Amino acid sequence: MSEHGLLVSAPGKVILHGEHAVVHGKAALAVALGLRTFLRLRPGGGERLRIHLPGVGVRREWDVAELSALRGRLTADFDESKSPGVEQLDVLKEFAGIAADASAPDSLAILAFLYMCLAISAKYGDVPSVDIAVWSELPTGAGLGSSAAYAVCLAAALLHACRAISCPLKDGEATARWPEEEMSLINSWAFQGERVIHGNPSGVDNAVGTWGGALRYQSGKITSLKRVPTLRILLTNTKVPRSTKVLVAGVKEKILKFPAIMNPVLDSIDAISQECQSVLEAMPTNPSPEYYPVLEELFDINQHHLNVIGVGHPSLDRLCRVTASHGLHSKLTGAGGGGCGITLLPPDATPLAVEAAKRDLCACGCAEHCDILG
Ligand SMILES: Nc1ncnc2c1ncn2[C@@H]1O[C@H](COP(=O)(O)OP(=O)(O)OP(=O)(O)O)[C@@H](O)[C@H]1O
Ligand SMILES: C[C@@](O)(CCO)CC(=O)[O-]
Ligand SMILES: [Mg+2]
């Protein structure tokens, strides 16, 4: 690592269809966002490891020797394919002074960092003496994959600090991507970070955070969408906070309680993702209004399904009602329960209608918008 260190970044994501169902082996379609998380890695001083996470109000530092001793207390083997153990996480919580239920954003961020740092360094070398700062353009806990972008940046930086991956920058280059197999390793370790934060993630968010672009994800299989037409989507943040971990656990509980009722809903969400993919791949790259009625209907049906599996919220119902009053169709994106919604903007939607919808959304408290391209 040079004395100037390394700047790593990873994008957030929008899930078009398949959130929650993807945790249960169904397909999801997701696209990377222009909003990113950034990490600066610098050589540390005095055999210390420092982290600064302004987004969640964390500034902590530890002796490298103290972390090495802690690592020795975590008896299990560390591997990117092994789930973080409950006992391991309990030891880390006690060490960092984190409450047993560890649900606050700062606690989860520290826990994921400590786990990834100790696990990666145990596999590839010594606990590194580095300074790490992470900041983001993404809202935290709003359905745009902030946890995955954080975990992808940490995985890349820690693997780099432990010399498990190369420095992709060649002389004179300002930016670069790691080679494919190193990206796969980053993705696998980012998944471990997501496991600490989410409990039981599908892996779709860290896949988009690592690879970017538009992809279909199912049971660990990542496929780039063949052709992605330009889609204009309005992104609205309801500002209602929620936790992906809690929502994912709630859906699992519902499936266990009513398998015969819930499994067909998940199958139907899967079929929506398939149908949407077929439409997207049939659409010309340039905006073409005739495909939009089907895409809009798929949004509506999926939004109903997501309510059925228990991840809706009155703020999202309001978002859908307000946009519907302007002829626009919306659904939640990500884990739901608040967070962000997406609204499809067909090429024939008039700027006036879109502006009026935005104004009404602002009036009802959904104050943040941006247009994205898929
Ligand atoms: N920039 C960041 N710095 C530190 N921790 C972060 C950062 N961004 C996210 N996190 C961690 O991720 C948690 C949010 O993850 P969560 O999965 O609940 O929401 P999300 O990833 O934004 O939404 P979704 O999973 O629905 O896409 C935060 O509580 C925090 O622990
Ligand atoms: C709700 C969920 O499906 C998407 C969160 O962005 C969880 C996951 O896939 O890990
Ligand atoms: Mg997340």
Side-chain angles (χ1 to χ4, degrees):
M1 195 193 328
S2 84
E3 60 180 296
H4 305 296
L6 190 72
L7 183 68
V8 181
S9 79
K13 57 87 226 231
V14 159
I15 295 184
L16 291 177
H17 289 292
E19 47 274 272
H20 289 289
V22 67
V23 176
H24 304 278
K26 312 300 179 194
L29 303 180
V31 293
L33 267 174
L35 304 171
R36 302 180 80 84
T37 294
F38 299 88
L39 181 153
R40 158 114 23 223
L41 176 74
R42 286 201 176 102
E47 291 300 298
R48 308 280 289 170
L49 190 153
R50 301 183 182 86
I51 52 164
H52 182 205
L53 312 172
V56 291
V58 168
R59 199 187 266 280
R60 299 282 286 260
E61 62 177 276
W62 300 276
D63 266 334
V64 164
E66 193 188 4
L67 289 176
S68 298
L70 175 67
R71 198 175 70 179
R73 283 175 55 205
L74 305 175
T75 44
D77 286 342
F78 290 109
D79 193 82
E80 67 270 25
S81 60
K82 250 192 196 163
S83 275
V86 177
E87 308 78 31
Q88 290 176 320
L89 295 178
D90 284 345
V91 171
L92 296 183
K93 283 178 205 167
E94 196 194 326
F95 171 78
I98 292 172
D101 66 346
S103 56
D106 56 338
S107 302
L108 286 171
I110 295 171
L111 199 58
F113 172 79
L114 280 176
Y115 179 82
M116 291 175 75
C117 177
L118 299 188
I120 290 173
S121 67
K123 184 149 183 197
Y124 299 104
D126 296 330
V127 175
S129 168
V130 288
D131 285 4
I132 287 177
V134 185
W135 65 100
S136 188
E137 297 167 342
L138 293 161
T140 301
L144 303 183
S146 73
S147 60
Y150 172 63
V152 170
C153 287
L154 281 184
L158 292 166
L159 285 165
H160 178 74
C162 293
R163 300 182 206 292
I165 55 174
S166 59
C167 179
L169 284 175
K170 305 280 170 291
D171 277 350
E173 279 179 356
T175 60
R177 238 172 119 95
W178 275 282
E180 297 284 294
E181 54 311 342
E182 297 189 343
M183 294 279 269
S184 289
L185 191 60
I186 292 169
N187 187 40
S188 306
W189 281 106
F191 185 52
Q192 296 295 69
E194 276 280 81
R195 276 176 157 159
V196 176
I197 294 172
H198 277 204
N200 184 26
S202 65
V204 62
D205 293 1
N206 51 279
V208 184
T210 303
W211 302 102
L215 50 86
R216 175 185 196 275
Y217 183 95
Q218 186 167 21
S219 305
K221 188 161 177 269
I222 304 163
T223 326
S224 282
L225 294 190
K226 273 189 223 126
R227 278 183 336 104
V228 191
T230 300
L231 278 189
R232 274 183 76 218
I233 289 176
L234 177 70
L235 190 56
T236 303
N237 190 350
T238 66
K239 304 274 194 69
V240 173
R242 83 300 169 285
S243 146
T244 301
K245 184 178 186 172
V246 170
L247 287 151
V248 167
V251 172
K252 185 170 177 197
E253 216 170 278
K254 245 194 174 60
I255 296 170
L256 289 174
K257 192 167 171 194
F258 301 116
I261 298 170
M262 291 301 147
N263 285 324
V265 180
L266 299 183
D267 286 337
S268 177
I269 294 176
D270 192 45
I272 290 172
S273 296
Q274 311 295 345
E275 184 68 27
C276 179
Q277 183 177 356
S278 306
V279 175
L280 292 179
E281 291 183 344
M283 276 169 84
T285 315
N286 289 330
S288 183
E290 72 262 30
Y291 293 86
Y292 279 78
V294 177
L295 294 178
E296 289 174 339
E297 223 170 324
L298 296 179
F299 263 39
D300 293 342
I301 301 168
N302 200 358
Q303 176 61 18
H304 286 301
H305 284 344
L306 289 161
N307 274 315
V308 168
I309 64 174
V311 297
H313 189 271
S315 63
L316 292 162
D317 294 341
R318 202 176 319 126
L319 189 158
C320 292
R321 252 196 338 268
V322 167
T323 54
S325 72
H326 296 279
L328 300 170
H329 299 251
S330 306
K331 67 176 275 293
L332 67 84
T333 187
C340 287
I342 50 177
T343 305
L344 201 55
L345 302 179
D348 53 359
T350 64
L352 224 57
V354 176
E355 282 314 309
K358 283 187 186 177
R359 197 188 50 232
D360 288 357
L361 286 167
C362 283
C364 76
C366 299
E368 266 183 17
H369 307 289
C370 58
D371 294 346
I372 60 160
L373 297 180

